[in-house]
Amino acid sequence: MTTAFVELAVDGRTLRIEHKWLRAERRERPLMVFLHEGLGSVSMWRDFPARLCDALDLRGLVWSRPGYGRSTPRAPGEAWAPDFMHRQAHQVLPALLRALQVDVLADPPWLFGHSDGGSIALLYAARFPGALAGAVVLAPHILVEDVSVASIAKAREAYRTTDLRERLRKHHDDPDSAFHGWNDAWLDPAFRAWSIEAELATVTCPLLAVQGLDDEYGTLEQVRGIARRVPQTQLLELPACGHSPHRDQPEAVIRATGALLAGTAPPPA
């Protein structure tokens, strides 16, 4: 997937952000902005964004957050604080949209977020309710569960003892930046108190929350907790599906996303 780069000024730093437009010529169609998981990047999405945009006749914007893919890696010794997802939602994503001349008021985009990216989408929706058309969140986190911490600790051991680092090198210029930015933040004892449950009260946009029944990083309380606080939430709970519904059940995710965009989703859960 050929990518381009744009520079952002955030918190006194200049960040070089890898991104890829899909179907950019379809300017009259809605824009879907993809937000990747804690180890993700532009290339880690594989062909799913293109499949979704082709199926639903959308434009797409796929990008690698700072620290990931070909974007600016973490600075030496930089450790992400427990509010790192808030910073992505409140500072980095708005700066990216401005730099790419996305007019969020005249033509608000949709957000499609996976895992940490789903949490970032929710935080953006809560802070900027007039600046997006709606959101799809796959395996999002709204609080820290024991199962999440246990699985993330297993990932740390795998990074130390298996070929995981080399496999990540295919998708990240600096795999240590990508892995430890995410892993160290989540395993910081201070992160156990992290929660965005209260902030969900200000989410007003259409919302689809998807969770696999076999998700090793979170329970159904993550999406059901969203539905209790955001009454317009549509829930999709998928059997035979782990932490990546767009890989395990892509057609079901595309159908549900299309229904949300068309306003034909089932009644709120």
Side-chain angles (χ1 to χ4, degrees):
M1 182 183 284
T2 302
T3 56
F5 294 89
V6 66
E7 290 191 348
L8 313 180
V10 178
D11 269 348
R13 292 183 63 196
T14 298
L15 302 174
R16 186 171 181 257
I17 299 298
E18 175 192 29
H19 64 283
K20 169 74 174 179
W21 289 100
L22 302 172
R23 297 164 52 89
E25 72 283 357
R26 301 285 289 164
R27 298 188 63 84
E28 77 285 1
R29 298 301 297 157
L31 172 64
M32 185 70 78
V33 179
F34 293 84
L35 296 158
H36 62 73
E37 57 163 317
L39 289 179
S41 66
V42 170
S43 63
M44 284 281 278
W45 281 107
R46 299 187 175 90
D47 67 344
F48 180 80
R51 289 176 63 185
L52 184 139
C53 289
D54 286 345
L56 303 182
D57 193 15
L58 304 174
R59 290 179 294 142
L61 174 60
V62 191
W63 62 295
S64 298
R65 301 200 310 271
Y68 295 97
R70 316 303 175 206
S71 293
T72 299
R74 289 181 303 119
E78 177 188 359
W80 290 347
D83 67 347
F84 76 95
M85 286 185 271
H86 287 74
R87 292 175 179 271
Q88 295 294 314
H90 298 165
Q91 300 176 21
V92 179
L93 178 55
L96 175 75
L97 296 175
R98 286 194 300 271
L100 295 178
Q101 299 182 330
V102 176
D103 190 334
V104 297
L105 298 180
D107 189 16
W110 290 78
L111 300 181
F112 189 105
H114 174 220
S115 191
D116 284 12
S119 304
I120 292 166
L122 291 169
L123 287 164
Y124 182 92
R127 173 64 68 92
F128 306 108
L132 79 168
V136 179
V137 293
L138 277 57
H141 306 284
I142 63 170
L143 74 165
V144 180
E145 296 181 295
D146 289 344
V147 65
S148 308
V149 175
S151 291
I152 291 168
K154 289 180 182 177
R156 174 177 286 185
E157 185 62 20
Y159 196 75
R160 290 171 175 165
T161 61
T162 73
D163 67 345
L164 176 58
R165 184 174 187 270
E166 290 310 306
R167 287 188 282 124
L168 288 175
R169 189 181 295 281
K170 300 174 184 176
H171 302 284
H172 306 283
D173 282 347
D174 186 340
D176 291 341
S177 167
F179 184 84
H180 287 294
W182 162 76
N183 195 266
D184 293 357
W186 269 90
L187 294 182
D188 182 345
F191 195 73
R192 291 304 295 261
W194 179 89
S195 169
I196 63 171
E197 295 166 283
E199 291 162 87
L200 298 176
T202 56
V203 175
T204 59
C205 67
L207 185 64
L208 171 65
V210 184
Q211 185 94 11
L213 299 186
D214 304 318
D215 191 338
E216 66 275 28
Y217 285 95
T219 72
L220 290 171
E221 174 56 25
Q222 301 287 351
V223 293
R224 293 178 180 178
I226 295 170
R228 288 197 302 273
R229 295 166 175 84
V230 184
Q232 71 273 20
T233 301
Q234 313 295 331
L235 284 184
L236 180 62
E237 299 173 0
L238 293 170
C241 181
H243 189 60
S244 300
H246 60 296
R247 294 178 192 162
D248 295 346
Q249 300 276 0
E251 295 305 323
V253 171
I254 290 171
R255 283 195 302 271
T257 301
L260 184 75
L261 269 68
T264 58

